């Protein structure tokens, strides 16, 4: 496509949509019009990818996830179509920037954090590898709440992202399916002597899919993300005539539940889980039937992935459809289900494993309950003679009046993986050890990865330019080629160019901070970043304690030498997570205190950016010098912001937790600041029950000064929150070992300071981080899922380079 062609298409699009000329279009109108042009540009390829798949009957994977977090899509779609620079040029001629236009797009924020973003990075990689892999989820009317700070407190506002429509989605009315809830079910013999379920009462709602194209990077391959929305079934309009009954129905896909493992038992959440699972599986079976193949060979054409336990009902739902609808024998249906299903675990904390009360499942999903009971019964019956009964009691699906979703997911899947080496090892050794004894061969590791196209090529244009000029652009397709940069670790001009790119990004972030927080920060300071959900185990509080220590030192000794730092936080807390919200309040009040202290000047600034989301991450990450990955060892399953920050040249301060360990192994101890307890040491404390937070407090005056600051009036306006935090550390013995790790953390921060002041050394460390980040590409991770778990192949397996394979004749 030429610039002239794009301009003409855009003019036509503006005219068709708004009947105005292009010069009069607002950025918002230009966004809508340009998105139409983009859709037009990929429509043929999207259709042809699907037609090809059906014609060739190639095996496909379906990634079931209750969360997807794609963020904005205009620029990533333009990049995938290789239209990014010409779109920039066309808009530039019109006197607007592409960024200004792209900014008007609402983030698609249908996820909480790591798990949802991982699903979207996987969608990017699946398409970019030309692998047939689709997403299946929920089209929430409201995404994750918008966060505002009022008086330092987090306040949640609705994210009405669909208000002005969603250009990327296509409503597929004809593909709607019915979903049944409630009532009673019993089994009755039919004429042929088969047991069939008879449903009494309950209600049937309609699931309508909205499809969004997932574009591969410059390879004309497009997959589909299918999100389901609830509607009144057309035959039952009368039944839902009143506003109240309609409202109850529409509630089902109205809101995304915030990550809140403490608050269980919410009925609507359970209904959501069944809703998108049942809709997705019905739609897969309808597709499979078009192929006219035996039902029990489904696993040759279909792989279904369960992203955490939220879609674990995939297992009994596929059993229901095979046994009840397709009249398959139980044993055969079970063998098929097992071969189709695979499951990823994302949590290590046993208390966070999903459970549902038996009574609720019986009431809301009576047929599911019967099937789960039968799966459980057969699980026990099949292993009774092989394993001791206490082991089976710990692993069975139904116990203590609850349905244990991880147990269901494990028993019904042929593959179970963790998301980083340490995490997968801990699953085998501790969290899921009992299952490892029963099914050792099912367990495997798939270390997480990230989409380097979004997190570097799109988010960090200045650095991308330097890399392209230095090592060429093969890394756009093969991220591991970033390692070519190692050849330049002593090249002063490359080091300088990378540092200059960082500086530009820091200036841009400083402008954003000034515009949004009214706070001036110095772009020559160290930008020290912690961006992730707010959770006690992630230890944002440890970061704050180090900030307080620096602050007290700077006040006591104004001559103290350290390079000025800007501490930047981005984090949402679950609305009902009281402790996490108290930490937000205390960080905000500490920030106010430090930022306004005339003695401190520009030496320390603390910024808590509101409403952390994918778009904000794209601004912060390219500007980061230091990456905070300081969770208590053994608690963070993997982490992915660690990978994104490394890719953008930030230097990591980290515990040996999650993927930090593999990052350390990739770049070497000299290029990362490791500190703190190891996982073994943490587990030893648990075993010996001999941790005493108080003894650390008692013996360290610096630590005392810092911890006391939460209750002695040093920080104004935190009476209640400060007390809550103080008590968690001292009275309740510091569950996440902050006091134990405090000194080691401060040492690591000191090493960072020294390294930063050695400018040449820092530049080299930064380069080595970028050069080694290619290992953490989601392309590689997805390739491993494709080979080891799903057994799917690229669409053009017979063509040597799938990226250059073309589905269509060349279009101008
Ligand atoms: C629970 C109960 C009720 C409602 C919601 C939830 C809920 C929602 C989301 C529970 C958990 C989540 C999300 C978890 C998550 O994002 N885990 C992260 O997954 C990443 C990708 O694998 C890892 O890198 C992180 O380490 C892990 O914390």
């Amino acid at each position: 496509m030429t610039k002239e062609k794009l301009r003409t298409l855009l003019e036509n699009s503006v005219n068709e949509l708004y009947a105005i000329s292009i010069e009069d279009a607002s950025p918002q109108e230009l966004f809508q019009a340009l998105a139409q042009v983009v859709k037009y540009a990929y429509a043929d390829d999207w259709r042809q990818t699907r037609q090809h798949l059906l014609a060739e009957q190639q095996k496909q994977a379906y990634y079931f996830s209750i969360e997807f977090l794609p963020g904005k899509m205009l620029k990533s779609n333009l990049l995938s179509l290789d239209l990014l620079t010409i779109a920039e040029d066309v808009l530039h001629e019109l006197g607007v920037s592409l960024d200004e236009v792209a900014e008007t797009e609402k983030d698609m924020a249908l996820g909480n954090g790591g798990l949802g973003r991982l699903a979207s990075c996987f969608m990017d990689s699946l398409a970019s590898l030309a692998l047939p892999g689709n997403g299946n989820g929920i089209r929430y009317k409201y995404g994750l709440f918008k966060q505002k700070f009022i008086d330092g407190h987090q306040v949640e506002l609705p994210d009405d992202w669909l208000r002005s429509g969603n250009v990327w989605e296509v409503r597929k009315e004809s593909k709607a399916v019915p979903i049944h809830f409630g009532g009673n079910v019993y089994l009755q013999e039919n004429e042929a002597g088969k047991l069939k379920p008879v449903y009494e009462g309950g209600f049937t709602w309609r699931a309508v899919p909205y499809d969004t194209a997932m574009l591969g990077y410059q390879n004309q391959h497009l997959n589909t993300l299918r999100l389901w929305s609830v509607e009144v079934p057309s035959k039952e309009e009368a039944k839902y005539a009143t506003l109240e009954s309609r409202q109850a129905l529409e509630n089902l896909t109205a809101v995304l539940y915030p990550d809140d493992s403490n608050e269980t038992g919410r009925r609507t959440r359970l209904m959501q889980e069944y809703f998108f699972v049942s809709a997705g599986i019905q739609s897969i079976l309808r597709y499979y039937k078009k192929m006219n193949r035996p039902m029990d060979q489904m696993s040759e054409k279909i792989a279904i992935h369960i992203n955490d336990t939220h879609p674990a009902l995939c297992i009994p739902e596929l059993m229901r459809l095979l046994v009840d609808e397709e009249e398959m024998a139980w044993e055969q249906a079970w063998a098929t289900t097992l071969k189709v299903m695979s499951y990823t675990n994302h949590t290590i904390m046993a208390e966070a494993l999903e459970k549902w009360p038996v009574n609720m499942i019986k009431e809301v999903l009576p047929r599911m309950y019967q099937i789960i009971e039968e799966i459980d019964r057969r699980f026990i019956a099949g292993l009774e003679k092989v394993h001791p009964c206490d082991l089976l009691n710990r692993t069975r699906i139904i116990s203590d009046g609850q349905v244990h979703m991880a147990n269901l997911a494990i028993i019904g899947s042929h593959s179970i993986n963790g998301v980083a080496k340490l995490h997968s090892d801990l699953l085998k050794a501790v969290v899921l050890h009992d299952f490892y004894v029963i099914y050792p061969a099912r367990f495997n590791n798939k270390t997480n990865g990230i989409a380097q196209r979004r997190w570097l090529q799109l988010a960090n244009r200045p650095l991308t330019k330097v890399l392209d000029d230095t090592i060429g652009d093969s890394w756009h397709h093969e991220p591991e080629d970033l390692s070519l940069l190692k050849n330049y670790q002593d090249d002063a001009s490359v080091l300088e160019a990378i540092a200059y790119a960082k500086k530009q990004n820091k200036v841009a972030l400083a402008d954003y901070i000034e515009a949004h927080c009214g706070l001036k920060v110095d772009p020559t300071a160290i930008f020290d970043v912690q961006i992730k959900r707010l959770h006690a185990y992630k230890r944002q509080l440890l970061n704050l304690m180090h900030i307080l220590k620096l602050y007290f030192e700077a006040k006591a000794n104004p001559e103290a030498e350290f390079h000025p730092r800007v501490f930047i936080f981005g984090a949402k807390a679950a609305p009902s997570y009281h402790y996490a919200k108290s930490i937000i309040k205390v960080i905000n009040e500490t920030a106010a205190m430090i930022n306004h202290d005339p003695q401190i000047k520009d030496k320390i600034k603390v910024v808590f950016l509101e409403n952390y989301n994918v778009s904000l991450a794209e601004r912060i990450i390219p500007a980061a010098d230091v990456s905070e990955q300081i969770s208590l060892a053994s608690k963070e399953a993997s982490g992915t912001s660690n990978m994104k920050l490394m890719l953008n040249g930030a230097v990591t301060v980290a515990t040996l937790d999650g993927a930090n360990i593999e990052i350390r192994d990739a770049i070497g101890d000299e290029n990362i600041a490791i500190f703190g307890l190891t996982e073994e040491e943490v587990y030893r404390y648990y075993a010996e029950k001999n941790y005493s937070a108080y003894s650390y407090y008692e013996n360290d005056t610096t630590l005392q000064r810092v911890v006391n600051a939460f209750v002695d009036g040093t920080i104004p306006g935190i009476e209640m929150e400060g007390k809550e935090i103080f008590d968690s550390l001292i009275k309740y013995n510091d569950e996440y070992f902050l006091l134990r790790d405090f000194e080691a953390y401060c040492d690591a921060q000191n090493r960072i300071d020294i390294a930063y002041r050695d400018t040449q050394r820092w530049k080299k460390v930064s380069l080595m981080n970028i050069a080694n980040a290619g290992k953490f590409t989601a392309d590689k991770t997805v390739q491993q899922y494709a080979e080891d778990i799903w057994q799917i192949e690229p669409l053009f397996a017979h063509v040597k380079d799938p990226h250059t394979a073309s589905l269509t004749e060349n279009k101008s």
Side-chain angles (χ1 to χ4, degrees):
M1 174 126 49
T2 61
K3 210 166 85 182
E4 291 66 35
K5 177 91 189 281
L6 183 67
R7 164 133 190 168
T8 310
L9 288 171
L10 189 60
E11 274 169 1
N12 292 344
S13 176
V14 169
N15 187 37
E16 277 166 27
L17 283 172
Y18 304 106
I20 57 174
S21 64
I22 194 164
E23 292 78 12
D24 298 330
S26 67
Q28 161 70 31
E29 288 161 343
L30 285 170
F31 165 73
Q32 295 292 340
L34 185 52
Q36 290 301 337
V37 175
V38 167
K39 288 201 314 189
Y40 168 79
Y42 66 60
D44 283 347
D45 288 337
W46 195 12
R47 174 174 47 78
Q48 288 181 28
T49 306
R50 278 198 308 259
Q51 286 173 343
H52 178 96
L53 277 169
L54 186 60
E56 299 294 313
Q57 300 205 348
Q58 232 179 286
K59 182 168 182 181
Q60 297 192 52
Y62 296 86
Y63 197 82
F64 277 58
S65 179
I66 205 162
E67 305 194 354
F68 286 92
L69 211 41
K72 300 191 201 304
M73 284 187 278
L74 178 64
K75 286 207 284 181
S76 64
N77 285 348
L78 284 167
L79 178 69
S80 292
L81 296 168
D82 203 10
L83 294 176
L84 191 62
T85 40
I86 68 165
E88 271 168 345
D89 291 348
V90 168
L91 290 173
H92 185 74
E93 283 174 8
L94 291 165
V96 278
S97 72
L98 175 61
D99 282 342
E100 199 185 331
V101 170
E103 196 48 41
T104 67
E105 179 177 357
K106 294 260 197 335
D107 268 45
M108 190 173 184
L110 309 185
N112 273 286
L115 171 148
R117 181 55 228 174
L118 185 76
S120 287
C121 282
F122 281 9
M123 288 296 113
D124 177 308
S125 290
L126 277 163
S128 296
L129 295 166
L131 286 164
N134 303 296
N136 188 74
I138 297 176
R139 178 179 178 269
Y140 302 102
K141 183 154 181 242
Y142 297 95
L144 185 65
F145 67 85
K146 280 199 198 152
Q147 179 192 52
K148 267 199 129 3
F149 295 141
I150 296 182
D151 201 16
H153 292 285
Q154 168 176 296
V155 173
E156 301 95 25
L157 302 173
D159 169 36
D160 195 2
W161 72 292
L162 284 171
R163 197 178 36 210
S164 41
N166 169 13
V167 283
W168 305 114
E169 68 186 12
V170 184
R171 182 185 152 88
K172 291 277 168 73
E173 181 81 40
S174 66
K175 309 267 187 222
V177 293
I179 313 287
H180 190 77
F181 294 102
N184 287 312
V185 193
Y186 60 91
L187 298 178
Q188 195 174 54
E189 229 175 80
N190 67 5
E191 316 80 62
K194 285 216 147 83
L195 282 179
K196 283 283 208 179
V198 179
Y199 291 80
E200 289 176 341
F203 45 94
T204 303
W205 288 349
R206 198 158 78 113
V208 181
Y210 287 72
D211 287 355
T212 302
M214 297 283 115
L215 282 67
Y217 178 63
Q218 299 179 6
N219 67 354
Q220 295 182 294
H221 179 98
L222 288 87
N223 290 323
T224 300
L225 171 61
R226 174 161 281 186
L227 301 179
W228 298 90
S229 184
V230 71
E231 286 187 17
V232 174
S234 32
K235 285 192 211 107
E236 302 198 51
E237 290 283 352
K239 212 162 134 192
Y240 296 92
T242 70
L243 209 58
E244 288 85 351
S245 60
R246 226 163 233 275
Q247 209 113 58
L249 179 146
E250 280 164 8
N251 268 344
L252 182 62
T253 53
V255 290
L256 159 74
Y257 278 99
D259 169 0
D260 194 345
S261 322
N262 300 315
E263 217 181 310
T264 52
R266 277 179 297 189
R267 202 164 164 272
T268 308
R269 167 81 179 188
L270 177 63
M271 289 174 70
Q272 285 184 342
E273 293 185 358
Y274 182 65
F275 178 77
F276 90 102
V277 157
S278 175
I281 304 241
Q282 289 185 58
S283 121
I284 291 168
L285 277 187
R286 183 175 52 200
Y287 180 81
Y288 180 70
K289 284 183 172 175
K290 278 206 253 180
M291 296 190 210
N292 271 321
R293 295 170 46 91
M295 270 335 241
D296 64 354
Q297 287 174 25
M298 208 180 145
S299 67
E300 287 171 22
K301 299 294 169 194
I302 308 281
I304 293 177
H305 200 80
I306 300 174
N307 192 30
D308 215 285
T309 53
H310 320 137
L313 291 170
C314 276
I315 291 158
E317 178 64 3
L318 181 57
M319 286 299 289
R320 180 184 74 83
L321 290 164
L322 293 180
V323 173
D324 293 355
E325 307 285 323
E326 305 299 325
E327 306 200 332
M328 214 190 251
W330 181 280
E331 292 76 8
Q332 206 180 14
W334 184 247
T336 304
T337 300
L338 205 57
K339 277 186 266 177
V340 166
M341 300 292 169
S342 51
Y343 155 64
T344 298
N345 171 291
H346 298 262
T347 17
I348 216 150
M349 296 199 265
E351 68 272 21
L353 293 176
E354 197 184 14
K355 306 184 259 311
W356 290 102
V358 161
N359 287 335
M360 194 185 289
I361 300 206
K362 272 188 184 166
E363 180 212 319
V364 177
L365 306 167
R367 184 65 185 138
M368 283 297 96
Y369 188 73
Q370 291 174 345
I371 293 172
I372 293 169
E373 247 184 344
E374 183 63 11
I375 296 172
D376 198 33
R377 192 186 68 75
R378 288 174 184 249
F379 167 72
I380 301 290
L383 294 172
E384 239 163 13
K385 298 201 177 72
V386 192
H387 294 290
C389 98
D390 58 329
L391 178 82
L392 295 180
N393 282 333
R394 289 196 305 268
T395 48
R396 67 180 308 160
I397 303 168
I398 303 168
S399 61
D400 313 323
Q402 311 228 272
V403 174
H404 297 255
M405 301 301 268
N407 301 15
L408 172 63
I410 295 166
I411 291 168
S413 299
H414 68 277
S415 167
I416 298 132
N417 73 280
V419 289
K421 273 193 199 121
L422 173 70
H423 172 58
S424 298
D425 288 345
L426 285 171
L427 290 181
K428 292 196 277 190
V430 187
V431 192
L432 303 177
H433 177 73
D434 290 331
F435 283 110
Y436 182 60
V437 170
I438 303 175
Y439 306 123
R442 292 187 188 184
F443 283 76
N444 64 91
N445 173 247
K446 296 286 170 281
T447 300
N448 282 168
I450 57 167
Q452 86 292 340
R453 286 169 290 273
R454 175 172 291 263
W455 296 108
L456 176 51
Q457 230 175 308
L458 271 180
N460 196 342
R461 303 289 292 284
L463 179 57
T464 295
K465 171 98 177 53
V466 176
L467 294 173
D468 290 354
D469 291 347
T470 309
I471 58 171
D473 62 6
S474 65
W475 64 274
H476 299 185
H477 285 296
E478 304 290 343
E480 295 194 68
D481 281 355
L482 283 170
S483 64
L484 293 169
L485 194 60
K486 285 183 204 161
N487 298 330
Y488 299 87
Q489 55 183 293
D490 296 310
D491 183 320
S493 69
V494 170
L495 291 168
E496 186 45 42
I498 294 174
Y500 183 66
K502 179 65 74 185
K503 181 71 185 298
Q504 287 175 279
N505 298 328
K506 288 169 73 174
V507 169
L509 182 61
D511 290 346
Y512 180 90
I513 291 171
E514 187 168 5
H516 288 78
C517 314
L519 182 73
K520 269 195 169 19
V521 299
D522 176 4
T524 66
I526 299 175
F527 279 19
D528 181 322
V529 166
Q530 189 170 18
I531 41 175
K532 47 188 80 253
R533 285 301 288 260
L534 216 138
H535 246 288
Y537 82 80
K538 293 178 191 276
R539 304 202 293 190
Q540 279 93 351
L541 184 57
L542 182 59
N543 187 345
L544 184 71
M545 285 164 60
H546 167 250
I547 295 171
L548 283 166
K549 172 183 175 270
L550 267 190
Y551 173 67
F552 296 142
E553 276 170 7
K555 282 185 79 82
N557 175 12
E559 304 307 309
E561 278 239 342
F562 64 89
H563 193 91
R565 268 206 221 197
V566 180
F567 293 93
I568 298 166
F569 291 90
K572 288 179 181 174
S576 66
Y577 192 172
H578 192 270
Y579 184 69
K581 289 175 118 175
S582 294
I583 291 175
I584 290 181
K585 168 73 172 169
V586 171
I587 295 176
N588 277 326
E589 294 305 331
T590 307
M593 173 182 79
I594 296 178
N595 296 343
H596 297 124
D597 188 330
Q599 257 187 308
I600 295 299
K601 303 204 194 72
D602 266 355
K603 275 196 214 152
I604 310 173
K605 288 275 181 266
V606 182
V607 184
F608 204 139
L609 288 168
E610 262 175 359
N611 200 39
Y612 178 62
N613 61 9
V614 169
S615 289
L616 190 52
E618 288 168 4
R619 290 181 189 276
I620 298 171
I621 291 169
D625 295 307
V626 175
S627 160
E628 300 282 344
Q629 307 299 336
I630 59 176
S631 54
L632 175 66
S634 82
K635 295 292 178 278
E636 190 69 272
S638 161
T640 43
S641 74
N642 45 3
M643 301 168 185
K644 293 163 197 162
L645 285 155
M646 170 194 191
L647 177 68
N648 282 271
V651 178
T652 311
V653 180
T655 49
L656 289 173
D657 199 14
N660 300 346
I661 298 177
E662 288 153 82
I663 290 178
R664 192 268 319 258
D665 293 346
I667 58 182
D669 279 307
E670 65 283 14
N671 295 317
I672 186 168
I674 296 289
F675 75 97
L677 290 173
T678 61
E679 159 268 320
E680 287 92 353
E681 290 166 334
V682 171
Y683 274 88
R684 195 172 316 135
Y685 273 120
Y686 292 154
E688 295 174 3
K689 297 188 169 59
N690 60 353
Y691 175 55
S692 159
Y694 188 80
S695 68
Y696 286 89
Y697 174 76
E698 198 179 34
N699 293 315
D700 179 343
T701 49
T702 309
L703 184 55
Q704 267 168 40
R705 175 73 187 96
V706 166
V707 172
N708 290 346
F710 297 126
V711 285
D712 66 7
T714 302
I715 310 165
I718 58 155
E719 282 70 26
M720 301 215 305
E721 297 82 6
K723 170 90 166 50
E724 186 181 354
I725 287 168
F726 183 90
D727 285 350
S728 75
L729 298 175
I730 303 300
K731 194 165 160 192
Y732 300 111
N733 203 30
D734 183 19
E735 187 177 355
Y736 297 104
F737 299 84
L738 283 76
L739 273 53
R740 173 68 179 76
D741 274 349
F742 178 73
E743 194 184 336
Y745 179 54
C746 294
D747 283 350
Q749 289 290 14
N750 198 36
R751 297 199 295 276
I752 287 281
D753 180 64
I754 292 166
Y756 192 86
R757 287 192 280 159
D758 181 349
T759 314
Q760 286 316 307
R761 176 176 166 212
W762 187 268
K763 284 181 185 165
K764 188 167 165 176
V765 173
S766 176
L767 175 145
M768 290 304 279
N769 271 273
I770 302 165
N772 285 293
K775 289 197 179 65
F776 301 98
T777 168
D779 290 0
K780 186 166 128 189
T781 310
V782 162
Q783 186 67 46
Q784 291 168 356
Y785 276 89
E787 282 171 17
D788 304 347
I789 304 179
W790 303 327
Q791 276 91 45
I792 54 169
E793 289 188 347
L795 219 58
F796 292 95
H798 56 284
V799 178
K800 232 174 127 205
D801 179 6
H803 302 300
T804 54
S806 173
L807 273 173
T808 47
E809 71 280 10
N810 262 341
K811 286 173 288 181
S812 61

